[in-house]
Amino acid sequence: MTDKKWVYLFSEVEAAEAYVGGGWEGVRGLFGGKGANLADMDRIGIPVPPGFTVTTEACNAYLNAGGVFPDGMWDQLLEALKAVEAVTDKTLGDPESPLLVSCRSGAKFSMPGMMDTVLNIGLNDETAEGMIALTNDARFVYDAYRRLVQMFGSVVMGIADEFFEEVIETARHQAGVSSDSELSADHWRAITAQFKTIFRSHTQVDFPNDPIEQLKMATEAVFKSWNGKRAVDYRNAAAIPHDLGTAVNIVTMVFGNMGDDSATGVAMTRHGSTGAPKIEGDYLINAQGEDVVAGIRLTQDIEKMAKEMPAAYTELQQIASRLEKHYREMQDMEFTIEKGKLWMLQTRDGKRTAQAAVRIAVDMVEEGLITKEEAVARVTPEQVDFFLHPQFDRRAVKAAQEEGQMVATGLNVSPGAACGVVAFDADLAETWAKEENKAVIMVRPETKPDDVHGMLAAQGILTNRGGRTSHAALVARQFGKPAVVGAAALQIDINKRRMTVGDTVINEGDWISLDGNAGEVYLGKLKTMVPDIRDPWLIKLLSWADEIRTLGVWANADYPVDAKRAREYGAQGIGLCRSEHMFFEADRLPHFQRMIMARLPIDRRESLDALLPFQREDFAGLFRVMDGLPVIIRLIDPPLHEFLPDVVELMGELSDLKLRIKHAGTMDEIDRLLEKIKIKERIRSRAANLREQNPMLGLRGVRLGIHIPELTSMQVRAIFEAACQVTREGITVLPKVMIPLTSHANELKVQREVLEEEAKQVMAEQKIEIDYKFGTMIELPRAALTADEIGAHAQFFSFGTNDLTQTTYGISRDDAESGFLIEYMETGILPDNPFATLDKAGVGQLMEIAITKGRTAREGLECGICGEHGGDPQSVALCHELGLDYVSCSPFRVPIARLAAAQAVLRAKA
Amino acid sequence: MTDKKWVYLFSEVEAAEAYVGGGWEGVRGLFGGKGANLADMDRIGIPVPPGFTVTTEACNAYLNAGGVFPDGMWDQLLEALKAVEAVTDKTLGDPESPLLVSCRSGAKFSMPGMMDTVLNIGLNDETAEGMIALTNDARFVYDAYRRLVQMFGSVVMGIADEFFEEVIETARHQAGVSSDSELSADHWRAITAQFKTIFRSHTQVDFPNDPIEQLKMATEAVFKSWNGKRAVDYRNAAAIPHDLGTAVNIVTMVFGNMGDDSATGVAMTRHGSTGAPKIEGDYLINAQGEDVVAGIRLTQDIEKMAKEMPAAYTELQQIASRLEKHYREMQDMEFTIEKGKLWMLQTRDGKRTAQAAVRIAVDMVEEGLITKEEAVARVTPEQVDFFLHPQFDRRAVKAAQEEGQMVATGLNVSPGAACGVVAFDADLAETWAKEENKAVIMVRPETKPDDVHGMLAAQGILTNRGGRTSHAALVARQFGKPAVVGAAALQIDINKRRMTVGDTVINEGDWISLDGNAGEVYLGKLKTMVPDIRDPWLIKLLSWADEIRTLGVWANADYPVDAKRAREYGAQGIGLCRSEHMFFEADRLPHFQRMIMARLPIDRRESLDALLPFQREDFAGLFRVMDGLPVIIRLIDPPLHEFLPDVVELMGELSDLKLRIKHAGTMDEIDRLLEKIKIKERIRSRAANLREQNPMLGLRGVRLGIHIPELTSMQVRAIFEAACQVTREGITVLPKVMIPLTSHANELKVQREVLEEEAKQVMAEQKIEIDYKFGTMIELPRAALTADEIGAHAQFFSFGTNDLTQTTYGISRDDAESGFLIEYMETGILPDNPFATLDKAGVGQLMEIAITKGRTAREGLECGICGEHGGDPQSVALCHELGLDYVSCSPFRVPIARLAAAQAVLRAKA
């Protein structure tokens, strides 16, 4: 055991790597994240304050032995200390040249604030005087000294911090000042003395004067903090194993407040908002690190450092570049300049906006730092999504923050920006939104199923309770409403119709703005902007994604304008044109209703003849836009009663009309009313007749086509007449006719025979050959299960995953998504909404069966997906895994799908 | 080629068998059915008239050669004829002892009346005189002679039969008689002469006087008739191959009309109605075979033959016994006694009633004729079903037939007996049935979807058009309504509201009776009876089925009375008790509605407490009846709004109440009305709130249990309190709690935890341990697909195939079964109604996946089915194949399922 190495100087990282044999992950396990990071910087020649790491293995050994350092550890530690003293030319406890060190915890996985740290170890009365002599700054030294006593007291000895804080408060009071910064060196000296008294009275021992003793006790305290209640709770919550242990990092203290040749700052290697390749950050001359973070003094833009401390700035630039080369990522750095000497204290991957993320990834490829594949893998689909939705204007946000308009933060559970007037209940939210056309933010302590109508009417949702899976969060995400939940600082008083944060009062009807991306709440109405999807870096990134992906990305579009957008966004075809959407338009609906009401085939024929030119023009428009790309047109799908007025409404209208007869003045009026009643009654009767108990499982899709073959024949005629017409214009048309809701091969066989006959007839009439296909939706479990039989009659498959999810799960989407599905996600019964993210175990399994069987029947059968899942990254990945040929999604989701499809390839390779 | 044997004497059947090498099937192929049958009887020593068969191969050779007998055939035929002449001691064409023969077609598969036959070959002027000398019956001989000329003319030479019939008619007219039997020998002699004149004038040749020439031409005619239009059409319709060919059977004519020592008759070896083991039949002394069939003379009961022709009767009995031993089946025989000598002309498996089928099968086992397995395999599930439904009293049917009350026959498309008054349209049928409580038979030329409401209201359905897959047939079977369709003899005059058959007129409102089993229509109201399920033979047969089957048969029963019946019928457990059915009862519904309306949990609690004792008693009753057998109780399944009044109805009631306010006389009255409106409005609002677009896919099953856990907890408490109580009474209780509509393992996990906790608590309170299980329905595709995950939380599976079919097919049963499903079956898109017969390819596949995966998760997991398919024989067979443990069906279907389960085993062995 004595041979075992428990302590590594930062410079000994390669020995550690050899020991763990598990690459960098292994070193992180042994050194913890912080230690590994410092050692790593040291290795590549970045100046970090000298120091060393006591390993996590030492921690475990210490804890397992019941609080005894393992054999040899302490000696190794003292030896490492000597090495540090040698390079720093300082000595722990030497008043002439005192070395101060920090003793910090650091586990493999970040556990922010959960474990202990002691700074300024090495100070005692003697070394303090020595420091004063060296720095000529008694206030700084005694402030540092009292911090040591305070931290040591609370962290190592477990004295409640209040006892210390009380002393400072009294001192402020007596001095007649309101902030610590106004206290003088003498104050701090006196406070230090008082702290020692507190220390003694609580622990019965003196504050250890011996720096070595300080170091030993601090090290033990850090080890023990691994099993502190906070740390254990955190690990349980974050699913971090309990047997990892924490390392202890002993690092030389450096100070940025040692005069005008000292400074401290933070900097990003590139701009975190725009991604521009230039150092961005803030710094302060003659200041401590915490001063920059705390915002006590106004920081300076890092650009100024180029003039004020040119050498250090140049070095920082070089370091930034070295770090980026090393980590191949944009870095967020902390540094301190002590008497002209630059020390790096930390570096980590920098946070950035979506736009910056895209630009940085692209720039880094062009700088040769990373590969295209890495760039594509780094940008998240959510970041691409950002380019497609309104966001608050960055300058407006900054201004609002500076003016103190940001009143609360909460969880960023549903992205996007929303402004509106506050409404404290769902009914009011709905009334204001619908009747007064107001933009509303619905604010509730938490939401319940009864609130859904208000949430749907609102622009955004804000609560002061609840988490990421709360009802409010789930419903908001469901319906794409920006939302901030759990903004605990808000005091909501429903009775008084207002909420307060500190002194700020927000009354019902006041404007607020919600940033669902950041989880922030602002007073007033912030300016919004739509980021530009034509961002050149995004275009480049997506073009690389296109090179990588094997999955096609098509779009669902019913009208030429949508198809145009889809094509601009990179869609390679139309995967779904819902041909019945056109029937709902004002100039067509009367014909369609007449078709439904027709008793005789001849009347039906007339209405269909009237509809034909409309449909032909609709399809011709689509074909023109999609010149050279395939267009899948799905034949009519919904049940007929959807095209008629609602029966309950009709009943209301009828009883109104009947009442009016009672009050009619003339016989003429009565006659007119009776005629109206007769017509309405006919519609009511037909609508009632068509009404189904479960229309989702009713007379729709191919069933309708078989029931009224002349309807789908008209549609096919319109498709092929349009195709011929547009072909004559010199456009390349690739129409694919899709038959929906097939459950049995015979349905497809029968319907396709009729329809293909019609298609051939049109082509013969027009003397033009069209390159066409007939295929089917796979949107019922039976279709998937019998895909071999169905595949014999289909030239392509398209998965309708909305319907397929409904029937596989037996869940009616319309009813459930504002009902029990939310309950299921709140309670964790379902991890995801299966209508948003494909259910791999169930629906995915059926898809796999269908693809395998379909391709048995027809080699290389083209399979795609046209449900809404086609725009969900996780689902796109599943589609790639399943070997689909393409996904088809809303035009707005096309860029996301392109990226997700490429990432799926990269993940599969990894 | 000359070596080939084309002609076989009946006695040479073994040579034929050796030649074909394919057992009896091969002989039937070579000899045709008739020839094989005669040869077979000859072989076992049954007296058949001597004869021989010209093979189907000869026919094919003849036809392929363009109408030339194959080499050697004719010589072989003449040789065979010589052999027949030798045994009969008669010679073809010898006036002293003339041999007469018939020349009959006979193909492998019966094609009744489709091909040709010539009788009485061998008669000419000389042999006719010889016959008269022998028989002393000139009338008989000349009648036979003119038949030969007539048949030869029409069959062999193709002369239209009218020419011959005209002559007879004229003769009758001239003789002043109305029937042929009144014509004398002289008449027939003259007619024969006239026939010959017709023959000559149509064919330009004389009727062939040479019997050998007659025989040759008749043989050729039979060969050619294989390719006659009628025969070809029939083979196309019946899917009989066209290359089989027909054999020609040349058989000695025997005559039962040669005096009082001659007779002819038909007999069954056992009673066709009761199955009693005694010859049953009719015969006539001194008569021809056709006289018995045609009913010209009143036949005598075969029992009389024992006295009148004791020797022949004894021989017939012995032959019957021999035939049964040989064929191991009850036989339907034709025989002729010529001058005391008994000849068997035909034998075939006899038709029988369901009761007879059961008794015969059982008796034959006990007589050692067949094995138990064979008995079980022979009785069809439909025959067992017969015992469970009302049928017409057999004597009433016989009487009605004798009195000519049977007015029409049609296709027996939906079994059962129904009497009612005729209604010629659906609306009237519904009105009479619902408002006047009349039994109605709906009569239409054919039915359409618009007629379904009338069909549902009617007792039975009758049409004069349509076939087995017509709308009427399908709907009738669907809803279990007896029906006769395609009764073409009926002339339906909808305008005059009446139908006619010949002279009989049936007006709307007149009583008729339909026999759906036989496809018969009777005037008036026939007496019905319910056959006895306690029929001792049936009980024995089913007990043998029980020995054979491996699949359990359980029953679906909600109430003790149903459970009792199920047990009597042989159910081995309750596979499904629908626990919510009790909530609909008058004394419980108000509590349940209050529970639904409750805003506060405390109010809900109160209503549930009130319901608990009811449920406990319900379950206790079931447990008592099922002492020692398992009882599966399914927790509440349907959506809550089913327990509230219909919203549309409520709207109507509300507007009535509001109208009444307008006319209210006093303030008090107004107040009362307002109060009522308030209450109704609350119910309406809640009902509207609970209403779902697709309730089948909505908040029901386990979703409801998770949503209102106190509801299912109450049910579980009731189950376990009942179980404890009944256990104390000394009864063995095996309760199984079944959670419906699981789609995700987590639902089951969460709900089971809550419920099992409740169960344990009750058992602890009551200090009784109950042997219980918690399981789930598998009734959604996702449950089947993820059965491994679900199986981890379920102690048993029960397939709810009704729901599973709905979601797998995406078909709402309520809407579709009176809608497009019928259309699908009419047009053959679907072969069966998937709600009646399990869809093997889709639903069956899911079941297979579920069983396999479920048993991976839990070895030997008990799997059953409780959908209505459990009582459908074809589905029972599939369940057996899939390896289910049991099927559970309606108590009435239990006997059928027991038989079907046994037959599935036998089929699997075969």
Side-chain angles (χ1 to χ4, degrees), chain A residues 327-329 361 364 370 374-380 383 903:
Chain A
Y327 289 111
R328 313 172 73 244
E329 245 302 14
M364 282 191 163
I370 59 173
E374 283 170 307
V376 167
R378 274 184 192 184
V379 174
T380 66
Q383 286 168 329
Q903 292 184 337

Side-chain angles (χ1 to χ4, degrees), chain A residues 304-330:
Chain A
K304 244 194 152 179
M305 194 172 145
K307 283 176 207 151
E308 294 187 351
M309 303 180 101
Y313 184 75
T314 304
E315 192 183 355
L316 183 65
Q317 272 186 318
Q318 287 163 351
I319 287 171
S321 173
R322 285 241 297 287
L323 286 172
E324 276 202 348
K325 279 208 183 74
H326 182 64
Y327 289 111
R328 313 172 73 244
E329 245 302 14
M330 184 261 246

Side-chain angles (χ1 to χ4, degrees), chain B residues 506-521:
Chain B
I506 301 166
N507 289 301
E508 192 154 58
D510 288 353
W511 279 88
I512 62 170
S513 299
L514 294 186
D515 186 339
N517 299 70
E520 291 163 350
V521 185

Side-chain angles (χ1 to χ4, degrees), chain A residues 308-537:
Chain A
E308 294 187 351
M309 303 180 101
Y313 184 75
T314 304
E315 192 183 355
L316 183 65
Q317 272 186 318
Q318 287 163 351
I319 287 171
S321 173
R322 285 241 297 287
L323 286 172
E324 276 202 348
K325 279 208 183 74
H326 182 64
Y327 289 111
R328 313 172 73 244
E329 245 302 14
M330 184 261 246
Q331 294 294 301
D332 179 354
M333 311 170 289
E334 289 178 23
F335 64 92
T336 284
I337 299 163
E338 187 184 86
K339 294 179 179 290
K341 166 73 185 160
L342 177 66
W343 298 104
M344 301 306 293
L345 303 182
Q346 173 139 350
T347 189
R348 57 187 167 192
D349 293 351
K351 290 208 178 354
R352 66 207 81 176
T353 64
Q355 281 143 313
V358 170
R359 177 163 177 184
I360 291 169
V362 172
D363 283 351
M364 282 191 163
V365 172
E366 299 192 331
E367 292 162 20
L369 276 178
I370 59 173
T371 64
K372 289 176 183 177
E373 284 74 15
E374 283 170 307
V376 167
R378 274 184 192 184
V379 174
T380 66
E382 291 71 27
Q383 286 168 329
V384 173
D385 192 29
F386 175 88
F387 285 84
L388 294 155
H389 297 289
Q391 308 290 339
F392 289 129
D393 181 89
R394 272 197 308 278
R395 274 158 302 192
V397 168
K398 198 161 186 187
Q401 282 172 349
E402 282 169 7
E403 288 164 29
Q405 282 180 266
M406 189 172 99
V407 288
T409 58
L411 297 170
N412 55 341
V413 294
S414 184
C419 306
V421 295
V422 170
F424 286 113
D425 70 65
D427 292 339
L428 182 65
E430 190 179 49
T431 306
W432 278 358
K434 290 201 175 162
E435 293 176 15
E436 304 186 22
N437 212 19
K438 281 184 184 169
V440 177
I441 303 289
M442 186 169 136
V443 181
R444 296 286 300 166
E446 61 194 339
T447 64
K448 298 211 172 102
D450 288 349
D451 295 321
V452 172
H453 62 291
M455 300 169 80
L456 291 180
Q459 297 297 310
I461 294 127
L462 170 62
T463 72
N464 67 352
R465 288 211 288 269
R468 296 205 170 271
T469 58
S470 62
H471 181 265
L474 294 166
V475 173
R477 276 205 292 281
Q478 195 58 59
F479 297 105
K481 304 279 179 189
V484 176
V485 307
L490 292 173
Q491 303 283 334
I492 299 174
D493 188 334
I494 295 287
N495 291 330
K496 295 199 181 141
R497 316 302 289 183
R498 70 181 189 194
M499 57 182 170
T500 52
V501 198
D503 298 338
T504 309
V505 176
I506 300 165
N507 290 302
E508 192 154 57
D510 289 352
W511 279 88
I512 62 171
S513 298
L514 294 185
D515 186 339
N517 299 72
E520 292 163 352
V521 185
Y522 296 89
L523 295 179
K525 190 175 169 180
L526 262 57
K527 188 179 161 201
T528 53
M529 48 156 288
V530 184
D532 194 347
I533 184 82
R534 284 164 307 179
D535 178 282
W537 291 281

Side-chain angles (χ1 to χ4, degrees), chain B residues 689-709:
Chain B
N689 188 249
L690 286 172
R691 210 164 147 189
E692 294 172 305
Q693 305 224 26
N694 298 285
M696 190 55 71
L697 309 176
L699 183 57
R700 44 177 290 238
V702 65
R703 301 165 189 174
L704 203 53
I706 290 172
H707 189 61
I708 311 181

